[in-house]
């Protein structure tokens, strides 16, 4: 179909009027009730435009039966963490981190500790990603020391804070343990060293030891309870330990059933009831 514009239709109607009847004053006349060519052309133009739009648009429909009408995280899914070499830590830092998170979240007969739950991997991937690079934050000077309730006020981001903190902690550890790194100490010696840092009795060179230890504890806890897609909470061990059912669609059948253990296994953001090594 050839589509004409309103301007073309107007000129066409003017030419049509030249052959129309002439009234007694010598002016061209169009009979009442007779549709004008501009009206016809306008309708054809609109109809042609609608036809073009509908023909250019492919409409797809899906039949939904026996499943939910949505896919988990279909709009903006977080990239799943892949196991493998450290992405931020070097080998010595990685070994120290695994020993540290195992002290913060020790294993027991029923639940793995921080190392086997993937807490060190969680922190490593976070520091290697947007969080460690401070994406979305204002990172230009001047930087002034602020109060704790004012948040992060340093030019260093989380990645640099961890690098400096681990280096200072390693130096302090070797000075107080005959040159041994933290990962080679006994369990009791590790706990004693961390308690000294937590209380401020053991100073870290150039680093606020108490603040570093507090941040380390928070990040280890986050990795332990976060969705497994981020690298920690492997096999959903933390969720199983506390009875958390995970990211299920709804709990309408259990809203009024208090103090009862949910009988189904937890489900992650990927919609699966298992943690997979991808």
């Amino acid at each position: 179909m050839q589509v004409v514009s309103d301007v073309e239709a107007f000129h066409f109607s003017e030419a049509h009027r030249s052959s129309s009847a002439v009234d007694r004053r010598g002016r061209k006349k169009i009979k009442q009730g007779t549709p004008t060519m501009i009206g016809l052309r306008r309708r054809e133009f609109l109809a042609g435009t609608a036809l073009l739009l509908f023909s250019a648009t492919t409409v797809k429909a899906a039949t939904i039966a026996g499943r939910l009408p949505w896919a988990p995280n279909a709009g903006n899914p977080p990239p799943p963490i892949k196991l493998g070499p450290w992405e931020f830590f070097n080998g010595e830092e990685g070994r120290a981190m695994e020993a540290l998170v195992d002290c913060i979240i020790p294993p027991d007969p029923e639940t793995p500790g921080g190392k086997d739950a993937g807490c060190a991997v969680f922190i490593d991937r976070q520091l290697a990603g947007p969080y460690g690079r401070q994406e979305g934050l204002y990172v230009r000077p001047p930087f002034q020391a602020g109060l704790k309730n004012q948040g992060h006020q340093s030019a260093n981001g989380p990645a640099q804070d961890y690098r400096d903190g681990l280096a200072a902690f390693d130096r302090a550890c070797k000075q107080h343990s005959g040159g041994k790194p933290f990962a080679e100490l006994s369990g009791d010696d590790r706990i004693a060293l961390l308690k000294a840092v937590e209380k401020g009795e053991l100073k870290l060179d150039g680093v606020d030891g108490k603040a570093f230890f507090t941040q380390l504890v928070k990040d280890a806890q986050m990795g332990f309870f976060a969705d497994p897609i981020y690298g920690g909470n492997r096999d959903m061990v933390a969720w199983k330990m506390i009875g958390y059912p995970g990211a299920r669609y709804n709990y309408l059948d259990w809203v009024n059933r208090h103090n009862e253990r949910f009988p189904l296994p937890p489900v992650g953001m990927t919609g699966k009831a298992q943690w997979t090594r991808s």
Side-chain angles (χ1 to χ4, degrees):
M1 174 185 293
Q2 182 178 2
V3 179
V4 296
S5 66
D6 284 349
V7 176
E8 292 172 325
F10 174 77
H11 288 302
F12 187 90
S13 66
E14 286 298 316
H16 175 72
R17 288 174 181 174
S18 63
S19 60
S20 302
V22 179
D23 64 8
R24 61 183 178 178
R25 296 183 182 179
R27 293 180 300 186
K28 299 183 178 110
K29 179 181 179 181
I30 300 177
K31 295 180 180 180
Q32 296 295 328
T34 303
T36 63
M37 187 57 67
I38 187 171
L40 290 174
R41 286 297 183 177
R42 188 182 301 277
R43 285 192 289 271
E44 290 180 10
F45 169 72
L46 295 175
T49 303
L51 178 62
L52 179 63
L53 291 175
F54 279 107
S55 62
T57 305
T58 303
V59 180
K60 297 182 179 180
T63 301
I64 300 173
R67 62 182 177 86
L68 295 175
W70 52 270
N73 294 290
N76 187 24
I81 297 301
K82 295 183 179 180
L83 294 183
W86 300 110
E87 295 184 7
F88 174 77
F89 298 131
N90 58 38
E92 188 173 352
E93 291 171 338
R95 287 188 290 273
M97 283 297 303
E98 290 182 332
L100 283 167
V101 296
D102 242 15
C103 286
I104 297 171
I105 305 176
D108 60 36
E110 297 182 356
T111 306
K115 174 184 175 180
D116 290 335
C119 295
V121 174
F122 169 85
I123 298 174
D124 174 77
R125 301 308 194 262
Q126 292 297 313
L127 295 177
Y131 168 72
R133 297 190 296 266
Q134 304 188 87
E135 287 190 10
L137 300 181
Y138 185 84
V139 293
R140 295 183 180 181
F143 295 98
Q144 299 178 352
L147 302 176
K148 291 184 178 181
N149 61 356
Q150 293 178 317
H152 193 78
Q153 299 291 323
S154 171
N156 297 334
Q160 190 61 46
D161 285 344
Y162 258 90
R163 184 129 287 156
D164 295 343
L166 287 173
F169 179 74
D170 182 65
R171 292 192 296 269
C173 178
K174 290 178 179 179
Q175 291 175 358
H176 289 77
S177 62
K180 288 184 179 181
F182 185 77
E184 296 181 7
L185 299 180
S186 65
D188 292 339
D189 289 341
R190 292 179 183 179
I191 296 299
L193 193 67
L194 287 180
K195 284 184 176 180
V197 174
E198 181 184 19
K199 295 177 181 180
E201 299 172 353
L202 178 61
K203 302 296 182 179
L204 302 185
D205 184 23
V207 174
D208 185 341
K210 296 179 67 174
F212 174 69
F213 178 78
T214 300
Q215 186 65 48
L216 178 61
V217 171
K218 290 181 179 179
D219 292 342
Q221 292 174 334
M222 190 179 301
F224 192 64
F225 290 105
D227 191 282
I229 197 172
Y230 297 108
N233 191 18
R234 294 180 184 172
D235 296 319
M236 304 185 188
V237 293
W239 291 358
K240 294 175 182 176
M241 178 184 71
I242 63 176
Y244 177 61
R248 289 188 170 272
Y249 181 64
N250 65 53
Y251 306 94
L252 295 179
D253 296 336
W254 289 81
V255 170
N256 296 319
R257 299 175 65 172
H258 306 291
N259 300 319
E260 292 187 48
R261 189 174 183 85
F262 192 71
L264 301 178
V267 170
M269 292 172 60
T270 58
K272 299 179 180 179
Q274 71 275 357
W275 180 85
T276 57
R277 293 176 178 268
S278 57

